[in-house]
Amino acid sequence: MREDEAVVLLGVTPPQAEYFGFTMYLNNVHYEFGDVSGGYSGGHLLLRPPENNRTYIQASLEDPINPSNINVTSDGTFHDSFDKDFVIVTTGDNFMNDVITKGLIDVDIPPDIFNFQTVSSEVVNFGIELEADILSGMMRTAFFDDAEERDNYYKDAPLSVLRITPKIARQSISPLPRPPRNPRSVDITDQSYLRASYFQLAREVKKDLFGTELESNSQILDADPEFC
């Protein structure tokens, strides 16, 4: 994706369920195996060589758009965000953001259903060349109230995706800043309840990477979440 491009998702949110979410992910990046000069590996050798010089990252680029924060025509509650019209504009360029917003208003799409996802050049290597990053958009749903409504939604999903590309690539970009993450909770500071799940995950990862012959121990270390 070029930095002067945008992706516009127009559609209807899922029928009543426990959750839905729209998130942009950094899918995979170019990486030369053995390069410890920095980059996405943080200067550390990867355990497994990348395929075709690509390393899968699968990291979300911002908080998801979900029933708690999506802009739709509703009473503002979580449960009134289902089965509603919405628009999501994804770009890294402020100029493109403004152009698309004006274009949507010009075709009578109400601004109160506009949602914006920022893809920042601070974390993404834009471009359409072989060494550019690959992004992916993901929609998650969970636990529909009605199975028939779920199946009908999946069978003929009321979603349209537009990729907006200027005819002439813009050389002057007005980059959007990286959006801040919302704090997960101010009340939960002790994550020791995750310890058993962590060790189980570590065992499965080591089994997949090295088989059952390797002996190793796992440790939990405190880490700054801003750098993880």
Side-chain angles (χ1 to χ4, degrees), residues 57-87:
I57 305 296
Q58 297 293 12
S60 62
L61 294 172
E62 62 174 19
D63 292 326
I65 295 174
N66 59 44
S68 297
N69 57 28
I70 191 168
N71 291 324
V72 292
T73 303
S74 71
D75 61 12
T77 63
F78 183 99
H79 294 289
D80 198 35
S81 60
F82 296 84
D83 197 24
K84 297 294 177 69
D85 294 337
F86 73 95
V87 177

Side-chain angles (χ1 to χ4, degrees), residues 207-223:
K207 185 188 301 182
D208 179 63
L209 289 174
F210 308 112
T212 58
E213 298 180 359
L214 179 71
E215 292 186 6
S216 63
N217 293 315
S218 298
Q219 275 189 314
I220 296 178
L221 302 175
D222 290 331

Side-chain angles (χ1 to χ4, degrees), residues 98-111 114:
D98 292 342
V99 168
I100 291 176
T101 298
K102 182 179 183 304
L104 293 171
I105 293 173
D106 287 346
V107 294
D108 296 326
I109 296 179
F114 293 178

